[in-house]
Amino acid sequence: MRKFLTALFASTTLASTGLMTLTPAIAADNAKPAEVRTPLNELGKDDPYLWMEEIEGTRALDWAKAQNARTLPVLQGDKRYADLEAKALAILNAKDRVPGVSFSGDGSLTNFWQDADHVRGLWRRTTLESYRTAEPTWETILDIDALSKAESANWVFKGASCLPPDETRCLVTLSNGGKDAVTVREFDTTTKAFVPGGFVLPEGKQNYSWLDKDTLLVAREWKPGEMTKSGYAYVLKTLKRGESLDQAREVYRGQETDVSVSPYVLRDPDGQVMGVIAHRGVTFFESEHYLITAKGAAKLPLPAKCSIQTFVNGRLIVLLEQDWPEQGLKTGDLFEYNIDPLTADALASLGDGKPVGARPMLVFRPTARQSVESVTSTRDKLVVGLLDNVKGAALVFDLGNKGWTQRKLDLPANSSIGLGSASDKDDRLFVSVTGYLAPTTYWLADAATGKLEQVKASPARFDASTHVVEQFEAVSTDGTKIPYFVVRPKNVKYDGSAPTLLYAYGGFQVPMTPGYSGVMGKLWLERGGTYVVANIRGGGEFGPAWHEAGLKANRQKVYDDFFAVSEDLVARKITSPRRLGIMGGSNGGLLMGVALTQRPELYNAIVIQVPLFDMIRYSQIGAGASWVGEYGDPAIPSERAVIAKYDPYSNLKAGKKYPEVFIETSTKDDRVHPAHARKAAARLEALGYPVLYYENVDGGHAASANLAETARRQALEYVYLTRKLMD
């Protein structure tokens, strides 16, 4: 369930989204008294750039337009820009790209496709037999370009949720310009048209699911202002066909201080509902789960830090993110509950009888250098994507009389393994295999037999023969070993002269795994660049404990890890501060801001993408209140003191040797508010530093709503990096 919230924050890759627990423990007489919270309106009240927080305010937009008018001629005026943009766009729009597909209940495979002729995109389908061929035959389900033109709208397709088992009735999600706030409309894939008089959910940040063909479960803003402080829904209702929103019936209510509430419907492979769960995100990392019954909501016996992964063979599969000694389970374990005794216990708690004592069972326990990266299920099998020292594997689990047994799918080693769409009709699933220099291949796996069929292979987009991939370790300030990958020219001279781009994220338990990027390879590697990815703490490379090590009061460890990798690159003479550039987005954009203010002497180029930057006011801007579980609460003096030490915005000082940075954001980013980027650029300029700034109007947190905008953004980035590191 937390994957939904993480996606809210980490979707430029990039991640996705805590507050105090609602019922504090009773303090002992000698316990430290609770700190008096600072009123939010007191935090940053003297900031001269508060007006930039009005996301589409005239003054703020005029400022952004003026910045674009100054920056774009500099970067687009570079003689190399046009060539880099053309190459990026050619790769992104290439007709021979391999389309990823999903199993549909009607037997087809569906795909969403964008290219030069379909800028906003096509939702389309084909058959497996056709997909296996070199030129599949596609049938258009919905043309987003045509829809936008017909409705004079700025639609960005955000996906479709279809009702099992045949999946011909779908809830199509449309965003105005890429915002997280979406409009939802019922669509019939048989007639390929929106259903007359069908379900329509007006624009909003909302969570929803089909219950049956005539009923939806919806969490949204039902009354004006009825949202959490993070800006998400906390009231869950059922909405019947033909009803207006004010006729919906409430089934669960969280609290305003929660992150969000969302529904989760448990179904067997044939689409039968086996249970309905309300997921209450108390903080980003702590949650409660309630079984919705006719007699009320019954709390399930799950620890605060865990996430429901899937439902298979009548078992609820859960990933544990804290120790659970009462049940003999540890952080990082994958465990299951049999749904029948779990339901019986839930009903008993509502007064129907004596609990039967549902108990969790261990499915898989990773080692210290392993972590569960992803989980899915076919009709009868559980499939787990595993990271082993940041390298991928896929395990199939079978449930027998003696519990769970496992076997490994024989996929290429030393790669990233991505679990794709899984079938409810049988035990097949799609799996992707990729690496920094290896184009992605797509496999059809049979989890029952272990049979593997490579059905597609992406064409190479750059000459990878000139580079090699290596994995090293740096030692952080506390002695922790931090792994990182280096993709370098084979003939690199170890004299510090290699132009090097270092990327990292370091937050929200999001792992940075090897992956093929045709644009990065063409615009950077093929031109002689070295590319590095650091697996710093705060991420999920080694499970929840790796993430926990960088939370709140431990945040500086994340940044120390990043600096350790930077210094190790210099010590190995792979590069030097003159030739070392760094890039990161969202939480990684915060990392870039900390690097700028704490260790500017290490870098000659910094690309700061859709960043967090003003950490004293972050909980008041955009969806920031949902991330207090990651960073701490600025309203609590002791936590604010920790934040203030690394807060990039307040730590910008005059007289430092800051490199000229390139800051990017989007006006339509309603997750990490563009005010962070705006204020960073404005303060740097006020202190007398040169700064390059680009604000794309559309795009949301991805900073681009279509492939043409993506190509432009990437070309701007690589022109900047070329000027700073290669010239």
Side-chain angles (χ1 to χ4, degrees), residues 204-242:
K205 290 185 177 180
Q206 49 197 323
N207 310 318
Y208 51 87
S209 178
W210 289 98
L211 182 58
D212 57 49
K213 65 182 179 63
D214 294 316
T215 313
L216 301 184
L217 288 157
V218 182
R220 59 168 287 126
E221 182 181 22
W222 299 100
K223 299 177 182 178
E226 192 178 55
M227 302 288 280
T228 68
K229 293 181 179 179
S230 304
Y232 299 106
Y234 69 94
V235 179
L236 178 64
K237 298 186 179 185
T238 57
L239 181 67
K240 292 286 186 179
R241 184 175 299 281

Side-chain angles (χ1 to χ4, degrees), residues 549-562:
L551 283 182
K552 293 186 175 182
N554 293 323
R555 201 73 196 172
Q556 186 60 43
K557 292 181 180 179
V558 174
Y559 310 130
D560 290 342
D561 291 355
F562 186 71

Side-chain angles (χ1 to χ4, degrees), residues 378-400:
T378 61
R379 185 174 184 88
D380 295 309
K381 307 298 181 184
L382 176 66
V383 186
V384 174
L386 184 70
L387 282 182
D388 193 337
N389 200 27
V390 206
K391 297 170 184 176
L395 306 178
V396 176
F397 289 82
D398 297 279
L399 180 60

Side-chain angles (χ1 to χ4, degrees), residues 94-104 106-115 118 120-128 131 136-144 157-160 162 167 187 189 421 430 442 456 707:
K95 299 290 187 180
D96 61 351
R97 281 178 293 143
V98 174
V101 292
S102 298
F103 287 104
S104 181
D106 63 2
S108 65
L109 301 178
T110 60
N111 162 261
F112 183 68
W113 179 263
Q114 293 175 304
D115 59 27
H118 308 96
R120 296 178 184 272
L122 297 174
W123 184 29
R124 58 186 191 170
R125 62 190 169 200
T126 189
T127 64
L128 177 57
Y131 184 65
T137 299
W138 294 97
E139 176 190 3
T140 298
I141 303 172
L142 179 61
D143 185 329
I144 307 301
F157 184 71
K158 290 280 190 172
C162 301
E167 297 185 335
F187 189 88
T189 62
S421 177
F430 286 101
Y442 294 85
K456 294 287 181 182
L707 299 179

Side-chain angles (χ1 to χ4, degrees), residues 187-205:
F187 189 88
D188 188 330
T189 62
T190 303
T191 62
K192 295 186 284 187
F194 289 103
V195 177
F199 288 111
V200 175
L201 303 178
E203 183 180 75
K205 290 185 177 180

